[in-house]
Amino acid sequence: MENESPVRILLVGPDRYGMRACVRLGLQTTVVWGAASWDQGHIAIPDEVTVIRVDDHTSAESVLMALDRAGLTSSFDAVYSTAEDALVMVGLLAAHLGLPALPPEVAVRFRDKSVQKREVGAAGVATAGSAVVDDVHDVSGITELGFAKAVLKPVAGVATERTSVVSSPADLQRRSEEYRRQGTAQRTFILEDFVRGEEWIADGVLFEGELLFCALGRYGDPCLTAVDTGRPLNYRHFDPDDESWAYDRALPVITASLAALGLRDGIFHMELFHDPGTGALTFGECAARRGGGLMQEVVHAKFNVDLAQCAIQVALGRRPALDVKIRRAVVGGSHLTAGPGLLLDCPTVDQVMARPGVEFARIERPVGGRTPAVAGTDHRIGQFMVAADTADELQQRFAEVWDWFGPQVRIVPEGLTPRELRGLQSTLRPGVRFGDTLWR
């Protein structure tokens, strides 16, 4: 019997767990990798994976030109990406290459928040009212918000970047002037009616329209609250047995929302708002990819489900063989943060892992790099995963790590004068003389 040809898959953009899944499944794997993320250098590349460098892996032109140069324009059985800003392009690319993938019209519903809310609302699912701001650099024509309090954000944004609350046209004008001064590339924004309550999350797997798996959970604070207050983002997933009431309440909303958006195959990360007083759920938004942060790790640790491997199997047209094993512990993830400045030193992964309850950690910001002010949920030094016996103990362990980590981070803060920098030297290097000197 002749050896069968290996199954060939094209990954668009870096994906550490996607690459690992491809290797474990024995796939011949090629990754097109854009310059900006390549320069980050934080994702290890398995020896079995071929990397094709491109200027921009979200650009169809960049990807197609690179594939043509490599003689690979007709060399794949499947294409897949977990890069949010590449999803529509990948749908178009797959159609061009004659490969199965998320259709571009469906990808648009998951990228454009105004289209998403229109489709979900039309299906009878509760969601916030919204209005598109065509150009956030010029809001002179907007004399009323239409809402008592609104959330302003990019129509195709991610990670709560450039997301803020506005309460009046004057607030909106101030934001507009700020973004215009910054010269933001994103200019189409959306105003959404502000929804109060807990922010819930749902991470799941669909195959041929069937919901095979769904892990429901919540953020400790809503993402916007975490960004506004600078408090590290944290989250956990509910236990399907001990907290079955949450699944009973949310699954009908989740399935109706996914049906309205047209997702039949793939992984999703959904956010909803829960009113503890009434029990009502309001659809927030949904991505047709794995959730960010440590969602992959937390779901795997709690449920024994590898979302990345499921995603690759679905991309190949294979039904994932799930072996769900629910762990009794409460498992959650959180961020390691610090103030803005030049990072000189911070605790190591091993030191973080030695803290009570910590089962996994990743330090992402390199020494010598700049730590930005927290203006999005991707702004962090690192991440860690914790297990505990109760939700309260989980929050306690998060707080213990935050309180321990922060004082050990050494940063040269932004905006210091030369005099202040000189004063800082003795703090950073005690016992070393840096002062002015005189000869004789």
Side-chain angles (χ1 to χ4, degrees):
M1 181 177 177
E2 294 183 4
N3 291 332
E4 294 183 1
S5 299
V7 176
R8 302 157 301 176
I9 189 168
L10 174 67
L11 301 188
V12 177
D15 180 353
R16 56 172 61 86
Y17 289 109
M19 290 188 289
R20 184 182 73 175
C22 289
V23 171
R24 289 179 172 178
L25 292 168
L27 308 181
Q28 185 174 304
T29 307
T30 301
V31 181
V32 285
W33 202 317
S37 57
W38 177 266
D39 286 347
Q40 293 298 316
H42 63 299
I43 296 179
I45 305 167
D47 293 338
E48 300 89 342
V49 171
T50 298
V51 173
I52 297 178
R53 299 277 303 280
V54 296
D55 285 339
D56 179 3
H57 62 246
T58 72
S59 162
E61 179 180 69
S62 288
V63 172
L64 281 172
M65 288 193 304
L67 293 178
D68 204 348
R69 286 193 300 271
L72 295 174
T73 52
S74 58
S75 300
F76 302 103
D77 301 298
V79 59
Y80 168 76
S81 181
T82 194
E84 172 73 18
D85 49 1
L87 293 181
V88 175
M89 187 279 290
V90 169
L92 294 168
L93 176 67
H96 173 72
L97 297 176
L99 301 174
L102 186 70
E105 66 273 16
V106 176
V108 165
R109 294 177 206 142
F110 283 88
R111 286 289 288 134
D112 188 309
K113 300 181 194 304
S114 68
V115 173
Q116 190 170 104
K117 285 181 165 52
R118 181 192 69 199
E119 296 299 315
V120 169
V125 177
T127 190
S130 63
V132 173
V133 178
D134 291 323
D135 185 358
V136 78
H137 288 188
D138 180 6
V139 297
S140 57
I142 301 177
T143 57
E144 294 183 359
L145 296 183
F147 313 106
K149 191 176 183 180
V151 176
L152 175 70
K153 57 187 176 183
V155 77
V158 294
T160 324
E161 293 269 5
R162 296 194 179 91
T163 300
S164 59
V165 174
V166 294
S167 301
S168 66
D171 284 349
L172 178 61
Q173 182 62 42
R174 283 190 286 271
R175 283 294 180 188
S176 172
E177 292 169 357
E178 175 188 343
Y179 294 152
R180 185 167 180 165
R181 284 194 304 272
Q182 294 173 352
T184 56
Q186 292 174 311
R187 293 176 61 164
T188 305
F189 275 55
I190 185 172
L191 282 167
E192 297 178 357
D193 193 8
F194 183 84
V195 179
R196 299 182 185 277
E198 302 165 344
E199 190 168 6
W200 284 15
I201 51 178
D203 298 277
V205 182
L206 281 167
F207 185 73
E208 295 183 347
E210 180 184 352
L211 182 61
L212 302 184
F213 169 78
C214 182
L216 185 70
R218 62 163 294 182
Y219 292 112
D221 299 303
C223 292
L224 184 54
T225 302
V227 171
D228 284 347
T229 62
R231 179 179 167 84
L233 188 72
N234 67 93
Y235 43 86
R236 71 176 182 92
H237 285 84
F238 299 137
D239 188 280
D241 297 322
D242 296 341
E243 296 166 301
S244 59
W245 64 270
Y247 286 85
D248 293 341
R249 189 163 295 167
L251 283 175
V253 178
I254 292 167
T255 54
S257 300
L258 293 170
L261 295 171
L263 186 65
R264 290 183 51 79
D265 298 282
I267 309 300
F268 67 88
H269 173 74
M270 186 181 295
E271 296 168 348
L272 311 106
F273 290 94
H274 172 246
D275 185 333
T278 65
L281 281 172
T282 302
F283 174 87
E285 56 188 58
C286 188
R289 55 162 174 80
R290 303 197 313 274
L294 295 183
M295 295 297 175
Q296 161 80 22
E297 293 87 346
V298 170
V299 169
H300 204 167
K302 175 68 179 176
F303 299 95
N304 193 47
V305 173
D306 184 337
L307 291 175
Q309 184 154 309
C310 290
I312 298 299
Q313 290 172 319
V314 171
L316 295 169
R318 303 173 183 174
R319 182 185 180 93
L322 299 176
D323 182 22
V324 179
K325 296 176 182 176
I326 301 169
R327 184 179 173 186
R328 302 311 303 169
V330 181
V331 184
S334 185
H335 291 183
L336 298 164
T337 61
L342 182 70
L343 180 63
L344 299 180
D345 196 14
C346 70
T348 66
V349 165
D350 289 340
Q351 289 172 321
V352 178
M353 291 276 288
R355 306 306 298 176
V358 176
E359 297 190 345
F360 177 77
R362 179 184 297 130
I363 300 298
E364 299 163 325
R365 189 73 55 176
V367 169
R370 294 200 172 273
T371 60
V374 177
T377 55
D378 276 349
H379 293 179
R380 60 193 180 232
I381 292 177
Q383 304 180 75
F384 66 105
M385 182 174 71
V386 166
D389 291 333
T390 66
D392 287 343
E393 185 184 40
L394 183 78
Q395 287 297 322
Q396 179 183 339
R397 288 183 169 176
F398 283 153
E400 289 171 353
V401 174
W402 299 333
D403 293 344
W404 163 82
F405 185 84
Q408 298 191 72
V409 178
R410 294 202 300 164
I411 282 181
V412 178
E414 299 279 8
L416 296 185
T417 65
R419 177 177 291 275
E420 290 167 331
L421 287 170
R422 293 180 195 282
L424 186 63
Q425 290 179 131
S426 60
T427 302
L428 296 175
R429 297 182 65 187
V432 179
R433 188 160 63 105
F434 287 105
D436 192 18
T437 57
L438 297 174
W439 184 59
R440 291 187 180 177

mmCIF file of all heavy atoms in Angstrom, residues 20 57-58 61 72 102 119 130 139 217 244 257 273 276 309 353 367:
data_model
loop_
_atom_site.group_PDB
_atom_site.id
_atom_site.type_symbol
_atom_site.label_atom_id
_atom_site.label_comp_id
_atom_site.label_asym_id
_atom_site.label_seq_id
_atom_site.Cartn_x
_atom_site.Cartn_y
_atom_site.Cartn_z
ATOM 1 N N ARG A 20 1.117 23.737 17.453
ATOM 2 C CA ARG A 20 1.293 22.495 18.218
ATOM 3 C C ARG A 20 0.261 21.452 17.809
ATOM 4 O O ARG A 20 0.578 20.260 17.652
ATOM 5 C CB ARG A 20 1.179 22.775 19.716
ATOM 6 C CG ARG A 20 1.447 21.546 20.569
ATOM 7 C CD ARG A 20 1.281 21.827 22.047
ATOM 8 N NE ARG A 20 -0.125 21.985 22.429
ATOM 9 C CZ ARG A 20 -0.538 22.147 23.681
ATOM 10 N NH1 ARG A 20 0.360 22.218 24.668
ATOM 11 N NH2 ARG A 20 -1.819 22.276 23.963
ATOM 12 N N HIS A 57 0.338 39.735 7.336
ATOM 13 C CA HIS A 57 -0.463 38.524 7.104
ATOM 14 C C HIS A 57 -1.959 38.797 7.106
ATOM 15 O O HIS A 57 -2.753 37.872 6.905
ATOM 16 C CB HIS A 57 -0.103 37.422 8.112
ATOM 17 C CG HIS A 57 -0.363 37.764 9.543
ATOM 18 N ND1 HIS A 57 0.645 37.912 10.463
ATOM 19 C CD2 HIS A 57 -1.514 37.973 10.226
ATOM 20 C CE1 HIS A 57 0.137 38.202 11.645
ATOM 21 N NE2 HIS A 57 -1.173 38.249 11.520
ATOM 22 N N THR A 58 -2.387 40.046 7.330
ATOM 23 C CA THR A 58 -3.802 40.381 7.182
ATOM 24 C C THR A 58 -4.116 40.906 5.784
ATOM 25 O O THR A 58 -5.270 41.176 5.471
ATOM 26 C CB THR A 58 -4.229 41.446 8.217
ATOM 27 O OG1 THR A 58 -3.660 42.712 7.869
ATOM 28 C CG2 THR A 58 -3.798 41.059 9.614
ATOM 29 N N GLU A 61 -2.965 40.675 -0.564
ATOM 30 C CA GLU A 61 -1.887 40.907 -1.513
ATOM 31 C C GLU A 61 -0.568 40.350 -0.975
ATOM 32 O O GLU A 61 0.139 39.611 -1.668
ATOM 33 C CB GLU A 61 -1.748 42.407 -1.792
ATOM 34 C CG GLU A 61 -0.618 42.741 -2.759
ATOM 35 C CD GLU A 61 -0.512 44.239 -3.013
ATOM 36 O OE1 GLU A 61 -0.117 44.969 -2.079
ATOM 37 O OE2 GLU A 61 -0.839 44.671 -4.129
ATOM 38 N N LEU A 72 3.551 27.988 -3.865
ATOM 39 C CA LEU A 72 2.604 27.252 -3.027
ATOM 40 C C LEU A 72 1.161 27.699 -3.219
ATOM 41 O O LEU A 72 0.335 27.529 -2.318
ATOM 42 C CB LEU A 72 2.997 27.423 -1.552
ATOM 43 C CG LEU A 72 4.336 26.822 -1.123
ATOM 44 C CD1 LEU A 72 4.647 27.206 0.318
ATOM 45 C CD2 LEU A 72 4.316 25.310 -1.271
ATOM 46 N N LEU A 102 -14.328 29.742 6.880
ATOM 47 C CA LEU A 102 -15.425 30.623 7.264
ATOM 48 C C LEU A 102 -15.755 31.539 6.084
ATOM 49 O O LEU A 102 -14.888 32.281 5.619
ATOM 50 C CB LEU A 102 -15.016 31.462 8.479
ATOM 51 C CG LEU A 102 -16.085 32.350 9.117
ATOM 52 C CD1 LEU A 102 -17.134 31.501 9.814
ATOM 53 C CD2 LEU A 102 -15.437 33.316 10.113
ATOM 54 N N GLU A 119 -27.845 41.831 13.212
ATOM 55 C CA GLU A 119 -28.293 40.464 12.936
ATOM 56 C C GLU A 119 -28.832 39.792 14.192
ATOM 57 O O GLU A 119 -29.860 39.107 14.154
ATOM 58 C CB GLU A 119 -27.131 39.647 12.352
ATOM 59 C CG GLU A 119 -26.626 40.146 11.015
ATOM 60 C CD GLU A 119 -27.692 40.110 9.941
ATOM 61 O OE1 GLU A 119 -28.408 39.093 9.839
ATOM 62 O OE2 GLU A 119 -27.832 41.111 9.210
ATOM 63 N N SER A 130 -27.374 50.666 18.935
ATOM 64 C CA SER A 130 -26.090 51.187 18.471
ATOM 65 C C SER A 130 -26.270 52.115 17.284
ATOM 66 O O SER A 130 -27.309 52.115 16.621
ATOM 67 C CB SER A 130 -25.154 50.032 18.073
ATOM 68 O OG SER A 130 -25.696 49.304 16.981
ATOM 69 N N VAL A 139 -16.914 64.571 14.268
ATOM 70 C CA VAL A 139 -18.236 64.246 14.802
ATOM 71 C C VAL A 139 -19.091 65.505 14.918
ATOM 72 O O VAL A 139 -20.049 65.549 15.693
ATOM 73 C CB VAL A 139 -18.113 63.549 16.174
ATOM 74 C CG1 VAL A 139 -17.383 62.211 16.033
ATOM 75 C CG2 VAL A 139 -17.392 64.438 17.188
ATOM 76 N N GLY A 217 -18.456 31.341 31.508
ATOM 77 C CA GLY A 217 -17.755 31.927 32.642
ATOM 78 C C GLY A 217 -18.014 33.409 32.753
ATOM 79 O O GLY A 217 -18.983 33.939 32.191
ATOM 80 N N SER A 244 -24.923 25.055 37.337
ATOM 81 C CA SER A 244 -25.727 24.678 36.164
ATOM 82 C C SER A 244 -26.764 25.728 35.815
ATOM 83 O O SER A 244 -27.165 25.855 34.651
ATOM 84 C CB SER A 244 -26.416 23.329 36.409
ATOM 85 O OG SER A 244 -27.250 23.392 37.558
ATOM 86 N N SER A 257 -27.836 33.349 19.192
ATOM 87 C CA SER A 257 -26.921 34.362 18.658
ATOM 88 C C SER A 257 -26.043 33.781 17.555
ATOM 89 O O SER A 257 -25.849 34.398 16.499
ATOM 90 C CB SER A 257 -26.056 34.933 19.777
ATOM 91 O OG SER A 257 -26.847 35.529 20.782
ATOM 92 N N PHE A 273 -23.809 40.278 28.831
ATOM 93 C CA PHE A 273 -23.963 40.983 30.099
ATOM 94 C C PHE A 273 -25.119 40.371 30.875
ATOM 95 O O PHE A 273 -26.216 40.180 30.342
ATOM 96 C CB PHE A 273 -24.190 42.478 29.864
ATOM 97 C CG PHE A 273 -22.966 43.178 29.362
ATOM 98 C CD1 PHE A 273 -22.763 43.347 27.999
ATOM 99 C CD2 PHE A 273 -21.997 43.641 30.237
ATOM 100 C CE1 PHE A 273 -21.620 43.973 27.527
ATOM 101 C CE2 PHE A 273 -20.854 44.259 29.775
ATOM 102 C CZ PHE A 273 -20.666 44.428 28.418
ATOM 103 N N PRO A 276 -27.632 40.630 37.561
ATOM 104 C CA PRO A 276 -27.872 39.734 38.706
ATOM 105 C C PRO A 276 -29.242 39.930 39.341
ATOM 106 O O PRO A 276 -29.786 38.997 39.934
ATOM 107 C CB PRO A 276 -26.757 40.112 39.692
ATOM 108 C CG PRO A 276 -25.720 40.818 38.878
ATOM 109 C CD PRO A 276 -26.483 41.516 37.797
ATOM 110 N N GLN A 309 -6.784 22.545 19.051
ATOM 111 C CA GLN A 309 -6.833 21.304 18.289
ATOM 112 C C GLN A 309 -8.218 21.104 17.679
ATOM 113 O O GLN A 309 -8.340 20.650 16.535
ATOM 114 C CB GLN A 309 -6.469 20.111 19.179
ATOM 115 C CG GLN A 309 -6.410 18.796 18.410
ATOM 116 C CD GLN A 309 -5.484 17.782 19.053
ATOM 117 O OE1 GLN A 309 -4.334 18.089 19.360
ATOM 118 N NE2 GLN A 309 -5.979 16.585 19.263
ATOM 119 N N MET A 353 5.313 30.953 39.131
ATOM 120 C CA MET A 353 4.765 29.607 39.284
ATOM 121 C C MET A 353 4.881 29.087 40.725
ATOM 122 O O MET A 353 4.135 28.202 41.134
ATOM 123 C CB MET A 353 5.487 28.645 38.346
ATOM 124 C CG MET A 353 5.209 28.871 36.876
ATOM 125 S SD MET A 353 3.698 28.080 36.325
ATOM 126 C CE MET A 353 4.184 26.362 36.361
ATOM 127 N N VAL A 367 12.634 42.534 28.810
ATOM 128 C CA VAL A 367 13.412 43.555 29.508
ATOM 129 C C VAL A 367 13.996 44.517 28.478
ATOM 130 O O VAL A 367 14.506 44.107 27.433
ATOM 131 C CB VAL A 367 14.541 42.898 30.333
ATOM 132 C CG1 VAL A 367 15.523 43.933 30.834
ATOM 133 C CG2 VAL A 367 13.941 42.106 31.490
#
